Structures are given as structure tokens and as C-alpha cells.
Amino acid sequence: MERGESSDSSLSKPFAGDVWAKLVPSDSRYADIALGLNETVICSEISISSPGKTEWCKISRNMDLVSATFQNRSETAILVDNMVVQDGDTAVIHCGSEIIPGSDGKGLLSYRFKLMPSEEPCEKKLKISLDAEHAKCCICLNIWHDVVTVAPCLHNFCNGCFSEWLKRSQEKRSSVICPQCRAVVQFVARNHFLHGIEEDLLQADQSLKRSADEITALDSYASVKSPLVITCGNKSRRKRTMSPLDEENSGELACPQCGAGFAGYQCNQSTVHLQCHACGGMMPSRMNLAVPQHCLGCDKAFCGAYWHAQGVPRSDFHPICSPETLKPIAERTITRIPFWVHEKNRHEQDITENCIRRMGRSLQDVITEWTTKLNNREIDRSRMPLNHAEMITSQTHTCNDCYGKLVSFLLYWFRVTLPKNVSFFYLLHYVL
């Protein structure tokens, strides 16, 4: 296994620490590339015909430890899970992501990004008793529903309750204060750990459950889908006076619209911000825009579509995603079957690919046809692996991961609706 070459010249070795991931080439004649630094520049073979090594990308480990950020460092476009990534652009990759260092794939090596298993700590079970009174929202005085946590005071509320409080606070005050302790709120996000406790409490005591109408009302108010940064760009809290040059390079303006106006909008001191799930950059949270800021399939925030619509250029001071990170389903194109189709079963994927080819069709033709069927509600959506499945249409904005899941769902229906004699013929031909 080869080791990726790091951009950190201060290290005497290629990397320090354990290998956390590797790039596995499609051709077994080439060695795997190990990633041992949190940020690694890859210098390896990109062409089967040319054995020379070329610097072509950088891979940075994300804080969630289960994904990484890929950046194109070559002068040509690169395919990442069938998405074109231009020079300098980034994309989020997960275990199994396919990377081809070119846009057409002809004569090029392809790589699979693979996370290495971590050592599992010794399992310890701890039983904790929790009084239901300590799991109540101080606004509605009921057990949390879709609990969110605010920082820095770390008090917890129902998503719907706090969303309404947030809305009223923005209308009346220059800052948002905690409903429980009156501290200034800087950050709010859904708390998945406490959500599990919430469910356990309701299961243990059925009398604590709300009515269906109450839950529907709360869900309709809820606006916290991804983490919100509420005091982004607040200059009043600086501890020292900065020169204009210091101010320009300080990176304190985490969002481009905190320092300048674009498309008739500029952030103010109380603007709530969203953090992009792909690049980590900030954008103002704005309701009722024609361009969505969240993927409907996973509720995560992505900034590419928003900044593209605002006409904001890329900058060294502000991370901005490619518009390809969040776009309508109908505007996406696909040429290769994603890795996770048919539960990552390569044998089944080959059969599906063979069926499509022998029918004289392209993968894009099949996906377009079944997207139309989805629009016409000719498909049972109960098994669709996306949030808000009933709301998904061809015009829905999705991220790259959710689009891959949708493609997997549509190809499942394509296969199960093939006549048995046709699918058996293609299967037999594939085996022979």
C-alpha cells in the first residue's frame, strides 16, 4: 500500500498516525493509496497507459469522521460519483465513492474511497434514570418534540416552539435570547442524542404523548432543519481594534453577505446563518426564496445553489460550493450506475446495466422515464430512502447523495417491473 503525499512539509514522514482511509484503484496492478493525515494531497497514477505519477487532488477528513472533502487539484475536470468537479471545486465523499481523474473516464484509472475500520472500544452499558420533568420544554411545558439545543447555555426546547420564539425575536430584537435563562443565543441545532431519550420516555409512559393534532402543528412551525449560527458576522464583540488589513484577513466575516450586499440583500447583526454541509461555509438563512437552501431528501443545508443565484463569486476568504451540490432532479445527468445501487451488489448492478444496454437504451433514458412515473405517482413511495418522500418531484432540489439514493430507488422499480421472461433472458446472457 502506498502512502498519500502530504502538503505539510514540516513532517519528515509521509504522514503521522494511523491510516483512516485509502484510495483503492480499479486495476489491481496498482497499489492502494493510504491516507494518514487529516489533509492529504494525492500524487499517483491517473492513466493506465502512462505509469507516471501526477498530483491531482486533495482529500481532507471531515469532523464527522465518516466522510471527507475532495478537492480537484488538476487542470481538468474529475468525476466524483458521476458528478463533474472542476479545477479548484470540492465535493463530499463517503465510503464507496468512485473517483475518476478525468471527465470521460476513457483510459483512466478509477479509485474507490474506502474508510478503514476503527478499533471498537470495550462495550460498557450504563443505566441512567431520568425524571420526565428534566426532559420538558419550558415554552410548552411538555416532553420535547424533535428536540433542539441552543448554545452556549445548552438549554433544550421543542423544534416548533423554539422556531416560533426565534421568529418573534428576530422581528422585535437585535439579538435572540434563550427563553429559559435569557442568555444570548449564538447557535441552535437538532439534538439527535436527546431525541432518542425523548422517544424512550414516551415509550415508557404513554400518558406523556401529545395528540396527533398537536404534533402536526408543532411540525408545521419547525424551521430548524440544519445547524443555525445566529451571531455570525457580529463585529461588536471584537476584543481589540484591527487595522483594515487585519480585518480583511481575519476571516471573521464567515459569510460574503455579512460584509457586502448582493442581489439587494446584506446580513445584519441578528441574521441567522446556515452552515453548508459540503464546504462548511456560511450563508444567511432566508425563508420564501425561489432557490432552496436545504436538500429535501436529507434536510441538510448546501450553499451552492444559493450563492449561484445571488451572483456571488468564489473567494479565498469564503468557502462556496459548486452549484452542482444542490440542483433539481430534472437537471441532473447520469452515465454510470452509482456504487450503492442494489445494496452495493455488483453482480446485480451488472445485470441491470446489461438489461438497459440490450434494450437499446441509456441509463439516463431509464432514469428520466422513471422520474416521470414518480411525478405521475405511479410508484409506491413507501420504500423511498429519502425524507419527505411524498413531496419529491422532478423539480425538487437534492444533494448528490440523495440523488444517488433516488436513482437506486428508481432502478429497483425498473428491475422488479421487468417481465420475468425478459429479466431471466438477460440474466442468462450475463452468466454465459
Side-chain angles (χ1 to χ4, degrees):
M1 182 186 296
E2 293 188 357
R3 296 178 175 180
E5 296 185 4
S6 170
S7 58
D8 188 350
S9 59
S10 65
L11 294 174
S12 59
K13 296 182 180 180
F15 59 74
D18 296 331
V19 174
W20 62 275
K22 63 181 179 179
L23 293 180
V24 182
S26 56
D27 192 324
S28 60
R29 292 175 296 176
Y30 297 87
D32 295 350
I33 301 171
L35 307 179
L37 286 171
N38 285 336
E39 186 175 281
T40 307
V41 173
I42 303 300
C43 183
S44 68
E45 300 87 349
I46 62 174
S47 172
I48 297 176
S49 58
S50 176
K53 295 185 178 181
T54 305
E55 179 182 311
W56 58 283
C57 73
K58 181 175 74 173
I59 296 178
S60 306
R61 192 179 193 181
N62 290 340
M63 293 183 65
D64 60 12
L65 304 183
V66 295
S67 65
T69 298
F70 172 93
Q71 182 185 39
N72 186 349
R73 296 286 291 265
S74 68
E75 296 180 355
T76 60
I78 290 177
L79 285 177
V80 178
D81 288 332
N82 295 306
M83 181 187 74
V84 177
V85 179
Q86 301 293 344
D87 180 18
D89 285 346
T90 61
V92 176
I93 56 177
H94 302 274
C95 189
S97 289
E98 183 182 44
I99 305 170
I100 303 176
S103 57
D104 56 8
K106 296 180 180 178
L108 299 174
L109 278 173
S110 67
Y111 290 89
R112 289 282 183 192
F113 176 71
K114 182 178 179 181
L115 287 170
M116 304 303 290
S118 59
E119 293 184 5
E120 294 293 334
C122 296
E123 184 179 358
K124 294 183 179 179
K125 294 184 179 180
L126 179 65
K127 292 184 178 180
I128 300 176
S129 297
L130 178 66
D131 188 338
E133 292 298 319
H134 297 149
K136 287 187 176 181
C137 168
C138 75
I139 299 176
C140 66
L141 303 180
N142 286 311
I143 297 296
W144 307 311
H145 174 69
D146 190 16
V147 58
V148 298
T149 300
V150 302
C153 62
L154 301 181
H155 288 128
N156 308 297
F157 309 93
C158 303
N159 193 337
C161 292
F162 186 81
S163 295
E164 285 294 288
W165 176 273
L166 177 62
K167 180 180 177 182
R168 292 195 298 270
S169 295
Q170 288 181 288
E171 293 172 351
K172 299 178 180 179
R173 299 185 177 92
S174 60
S175 60
V176 178
I177 62 174
C178 171
Q180 187 166 339
C181 68
R182 296 300 191 257
V184 175
V185 175
Q186 300 177 16
F187 180 86
V188 58
R190 298 167 80 180
N191 192 319
H192 299 288
F193 174 75
L194 292 184
H195 181 68
I197 293 178
E198 162 200 327
E199 291 182 336
D200 290 342
L201 283 170
L202 295 176
Q203 187 174 0
D205 188 348
Q206 299 289 323
S207 66
L208 297 174
K209 287 189 175 181
R210 306 175 194 243
S211 67
D213 290 341
E214 286 182 282
I215 291 176
T216 300
L218 272 177
D219 288 340
S220 68
Y221 301 147
S223 62
V224 182
K225 298 179 180 179
S226 57
L228 301 181
V229 179
I230 298 178
T231 57
C232 177
N234 185 351
K235 302 178 185 179
S236 63
R237 302 184 65 186
R238 290 178 180 158
K239 296 182 179 179
R240 64 180 179 87
T241 302
M242 289 186 171
S243 67
L245 182 61
D246 289 336
E247 183 172 329
E248 180 181 353
N249 296 325
S250 67
E252 188 168 342
L253 297 179
C255 148
Q257 286 181 315
C258 284
F262 291 96
Y265 179 86
Q266 183 172 351
C267 302
N268 57 43
Q269 185 174 335
S270 62
T271 299
V272 175
H273 284 74
L274 297 168
Q275 185 168 28
C276 177
H277 185 75
C279 70
M282 296 292 182
M283 61 179 166
S285 176
R286 300 177 64 186
M287 304 295 181
N288 303 319
L289 284 178
V291 178
Q293 296 174 288
H294 291 86
C295 167
L296 194 63
C298 62
D299 289 328
K300 294 175 182 176
F302 295 89
C303 71
Y306 175 77
W307 291 128
H308 181 70
Q310 298 291 304
V312 178
R314 292 183 59 189
S315 165
D316 293 336
F317 302 105
H318 306 292
I320 292 178
C321 286
S322 163
E324 300 294 318
T325 58
L326 186 68
K327 61 189 298 187
I329 293 169
E331 296 180 14
R332 292 184 175 273
T333 58
I334 188 166
T335 57
R336 300 166 64 92
I337 292 179
F339 175 67
W340 44 80
V341 169
H342 302 320
E343 298 182 349
K344 303 181 183 179
N345 188 321
R346 186 60 200 170
H347 175 72
E348 293 293 337
Q349 292 172 13
D350 289 342
I351 293 174
T352 297
E353 191 172 18
N354 190 46
C355 287
I356 294 172
R357 184 173 61 254
R358 293 201 163 267
M359 292 170 71
R361 309 182 68 188
S362 68
L363 177 60
Q364 184 64 56
D365 292 336
V366 172
I367 297 304
T368 300
E369 176 192 353
W370 282 89
T371 301
T372 302
K373 292 179 182 289
L374 183 73
N375 268 0
N376 296 336
R377 299 198 167 271
E378 300 174 27
I379 303 175
D380 178 9
R381 301 179 181 223
S382 60
R383 298 183 61 178
M384 184 185 293
L386 301 178
N387 298 343
H388 317 293
E390 291 301 319
M391 300 171 61
I392 303 291
T393 71
S394 61
Q395 297 306 312
T396 299
H397 282 66
T398 62
C399 65
N400 299 317
D401 284 351
C402 287
Y403 180 68
K405 293 177 182 178
L406 177 66
V407 168
S408 179
F409 174 74
L410 296 178
L411 288 179
Y412 162 79
W413 278 106
F414 166 74
R415 278 288 299 275
V416 300
T417 55
L418 283 176
K420 289 186 178 180
N421 58 333
V422 173
S423 57
F424 177 76
F425 169 77
Y426 291 139
L427 172 60
L428 181 63
H429 187 276
Y430 171 80
V431 172
L432 295 177

